[in-house]
Amino acid sequence: MDILKRIAEKREREEKLAWEGTFGEYIEMVRERPELAQTAHSRVFNMIADAGIEKDDNGKTRYLFFSRELFGLDRAIERLVEEYFHSAARRLDVRKRILLLMGPVSGGKSTIVTLLKRGLEQYSRTDAGALYGIKGCPMQEEPLHLIPQSMRPEVEKELGVRIEGNLCPACRLRLKEEYGGRIEDVPVERVLMSEDDRRGVGTFSPSDPKSQDIADLTGSIDFSTITEYGSESDPRAYRFDGELNKANRGLMEFQEMLKCDEKFLWNLLSLTQEGNFKAGRFALISADELIVAHTNEAEYKSFIANKKNEALQSRIIVMPIPYNLQVTEEEKIYEKLVRQSDLSHVHLAPHALHTAAIFSILTRMKDSKKQGMDLVKKMRLYDGKSVDGYKEADVEELQNEHLDEGMSGIDPRYVINRISSAMIRTEAHCLNALDILRAIKNGLDQHPSISKDERERYLNFISISRKEYDELAKKEVQKAFVYSYDESAKTLMDNYLDNVEAYCNWTKIKDPLTGEELDPDEKLMRSIEEQIGISENAKKAFREEILIRISAYARKGKKFDYNSHDRLREAIQKKLFADLKDVVKITTSTKTPDENQLKKINEVTATLIDKYGYCPTCANDLLRYVGSLLNR
């Protein structure tokens, strides 16, 4: 790749985006495209929507804008977009509120804000997200603010837009002094948002209240020019460079807002409700921006307990951002964090991160009052797996049982820190699930916020995670022992489905060799169903459910295959493995394998490496471990 050439091409693209024209030209552009004059909230929502929206079979919405970086937060993101961004984009009263993301540490709050900020920078460089401001305005102001108040109703009707806000003091003076009140002569330019250039994207972080000045938010007097202009109320003697000024038309992140001194929050009262703020010796300054803050639950409870904050509380929309509660999504978080590190060369054995994810999710869930429901079943249901006796409706009921579920537990940073520690300390180039569980366990004593009781609970969860891994490890080895596993499984499943269809429809099966019509093979069907505990009384309901699932797939134009029904797949696997258990046990545990056993071990190791992502080290470790499990 020619790096310098790519840099030059990027610079050329930025230069092509630049546009400058008159206010009259801008009016014609708005006439053709009224969305150019949209509000900051509307722009953010359209940016999210334009990135793509997906709906799953259950009607749940997934926003692709967030899905590349955030995992397992679809439910929280859906609520955030629908209840805040979408409503605010329609000019409902929600847009007059500060958005406060509340959740535990390392839960994704900062990532959401970062995605919004980076997204706005990119979106402003597209045709759909283009926005324009008065050239030279320190607040990249909406040019339509130049239109006098008395004319706005008819202009709004003609252009199909809404005009809210007034000229900032700097532009009002320039209009009078430089252009003699001739609005049509005021130049307009395209605005490319950039946090680095402080255009449309701002960040305010409170520091020591004794040393920090409100000017960081609203701008400050330029004392070097007061002698020249003679007054502190002259806009030319004022720097409109506070975060509220620079974030106009876009987004301002208010870091640690609830830790901030009261005087910094007063400006937010009128900004949120009226869309303006006070700065220096000027009239109220209009601002159109989305203010996002984030905090944890303890700080928020302390904030609402203070009666002095009541006025601001009513101007805040709180959006809970809990920890992810899906094992497969948690695994993706760890994969992303490992990939971003300098230790990506260390091989992680299959199921290593999955096992760590099981532990994390168990610590975040709360016990259900539902009869027969334990945390492992709940974890599987949350992860989209089938659990005997429970349906999709039960998942929603479980989620609504504890509205604060996911607001506590082990955070991803702790787990990835322990994984990193294990990677650094080990001299091997491979880590397996047991290595990671051991590292997590050793780190519990060093975790500052874990009580003695919590430690006992967490140790129990480590034991459960290991049991889950033991089952996965046995299945992996057994699969590797099965010759042409996928073909064998498909053949067995097709045979089972043929018999189920004949059983449910009261028909017979035609023997492919003799042509003889036979009754459904009850022995075959029961031998599979018994593997997952389907009783004699429940067999009819299970078989009918399989046919209903096949019919549903057919209506949607999908093919029902081996992976379409989790419980049936599990039954097929167990049936295939049942006859192999003794072979696996003898082959993996013998210390002096004969020639045939050694050949089989080499074949299985090759399969684990070629098909299942193991390296020679973790493949051999797996075989030894499973051998010891089967001999217990």
Side-chain angles (χ1 to χ4, degrees), residues 401-609:
E401 195 174 8
H402 299 286
L403 296 179
D404 61 341
E405 189 171 48
M407 298 297 278
S408 61
I410 288 291
D411 63 282
R413 279 194 199 124
Y414 169 77
V415 175
I416 207 67
N417 287 345
R418 300 312 303 160
I419 292 173
S420 303
S421 175
M423 284 177 164
I424 292 291
R425 289 181 182 179
T426 182
E427 294 182 2
H429 293 290
C430 179
L431 277 182
N432 60 38
L434 299 179
D435 295 326
I436 291 177
L437 285 180
R438 196 177 300 114
I440 290 172
K441 181 182 177 182
N442 293 339
L444 291 179
D445 290 331
Q446 304 164 21
H447 201 294
S449 62
I450 294 178
S451 66
K452 187 177 180 181
D453 290 342
E454 282 179 324
R455 186 178 182 277
E456 291 303 314
R457 281 181 64 243
Y458 291 172
L459 287 174
N460 180 47
F461 292 146
I462 288 175
S463 298
I464 295 173
S465 304
R466 178 167 179 170
K467 287 175 185 174
E468 292 291 303
Y469 171 69
D470 289 350
E471 290 304 310
L472 287 170
K474 284 188 280 189
K475 284 182 183 178
E476 202 89 306
V477 171
Q478 288 168 333
K479 277 196 292 185
F481 266 85
V482 178
Y483 179 72
S484 301
Y485 171 75
D486 292 333
E487 290 78 2
S488 303
K490 185 178 182 303
T491 302
L492 183 57
M493 189 187 78
D494 288 343
N495 196 0
Y496 174 77
L497 291 178
D498 288 342
N499 281 277
V500 163
E501 189 174 359
Y503 170 85
C504 292
N505 295 328
W506 298 87
T507 58
K508 292 185 180 289
I509 290 180
K510 199 171 187 178
D511 188 296
L513 295 177
T514 65
E516 181 185 2
E517 289 193 339
L518 305 170
D519 289 326
D521 191 341
E522 184 66 22
K523 187 177 179 182
L524 169 72
M525 290 188 287
R526 290 303 293 144
S527 69
I528 292 172
E529 292 157 357
E530 285 170 351
Q531 301 294 329
I532 51 172
I534 302 294
S535 66
E536 184 71 26
N537 293 333
K539 68 180 184 182
K540 186 174 184 291
F542 180 75
R543 294 169 188 177
E544 288 173 346
E545 193 238 314
I546 296 288
L547 278 191
I548 290 170
R549 181 76 67 91
I550 294 172
S551 174
Y553 268 63
R555 283 200 310 273
K556 293 175 183 176
K558 294 181 181 179
K559 184 182 178 183
F560 186 90
D561 60 21
Y562 176 67
N563 292 307
S564 299
H565 195 288
D566 289 340
R567 299 200 65 223
L568 179 57
R569 182 179 67 233
E570 184 185 353
I572 297 289
Q573 287 177 350
K574 287 186 174 179
K575 172 61 179 168
L576 282 173
F577 300 155
D579 299 331
L580 277 171
K581 186 172 181 180
D582 290 336
V583 177
V584 176
K585 182 177 175 181
I586 294 168
T587 308
T588 55
S589 60
T590 182
K591 292 182 180 179
T592 54
D594 59 30
E595 188 177 342
N596 288 334
Q597 289 172 335
L598 189 60
K599 182 182 177 184
K600 190 66 180 175
I601 288 173
N602 290 335
E603 287 176 358
V604 170
T605 304
T607 302
L608 288 171
I609 294 170

Side-chain angles (χ1 to χ4, degrees), residues 240-378:
F240 295 91
D241 60 356
E243 292 304 321
L244 292 179
N245 306 103
K246 294 302 181 181
N248 188 38
R249 312 288 302 284
L251 176 150
M252 189 191 86
E253 177 187 7
F254 207 130
Q255 295 179 346
E256 304 296 344
M257 187 183 85
L258 302 187
K259 292 179 180 176
C260 198
D261 191 69
E262 288 178 3
K263 66 180 180 181
F264 292 96
L265 302 179
W266 294 335
N267 281 284
L268 303 181
L269 296 177
S270 64
L271 178 61
T272 51
Q273 192 62 38
E274 310 299 336
N276 52 47
F277 64 91
K278 193 78 172 70
R281 298 181 180 179
F282 303 106
L284 291 170
I285 299 174
S286 298
D288 170 32
E289 56 197 80
L290 166 65
I291 298 177
V292 189
H294 40 91
T295 187
N296 60 44
E297 195 171 7
E299 284 177 358
Y300 179 69
K301 285 180 178 178
S302 175
F303 173 75
I304 60 175
N306 188 346
K307 294 293 182 183
K308 290 182 179 180
N309 298 323
E310 283 183 353
L312 191 59
Q313 287 173 34
S314 65
R315 290 170 169 83
I316 291 176
I317 292 283
V318 181
M319 283 289 164
I321 307 295
Y323 284 133
N324 157 57
L325 293 173
Q326 294 173 265
V327 173
T328 50
E329 295 299 307
E330 187 76 7
E331 192 176 353
K332 291 176 186 176
I333 296 173
Y334 300 152
E335 285 172 354
K336 182 184 83 168
L337 294 173
V338 169
R339 197 166 52 245
Q340 291 171 350
S341 73
D342 291 334
L343 294 167
S344 53
H345 64 281
V346 178
H347 181 253
L348 287 167
H351 310 303
L353 296 181
H354 184 82
T355 306
I358 289 174
F359 166 74
S360 297
I361 300 304
L362 287 172
T363 68
R364 299 169 189 171
M365 294 193 305
K366 297 198 171 186
D367 291 313
S368 173
K369 295 175 184 176
K370 209 174 181 69
Q371 190 173 3
M373 176 61 64
D374 59 30
L375 287 183
V376 174
K377 288 179 182 176
K378 191 176 184 181

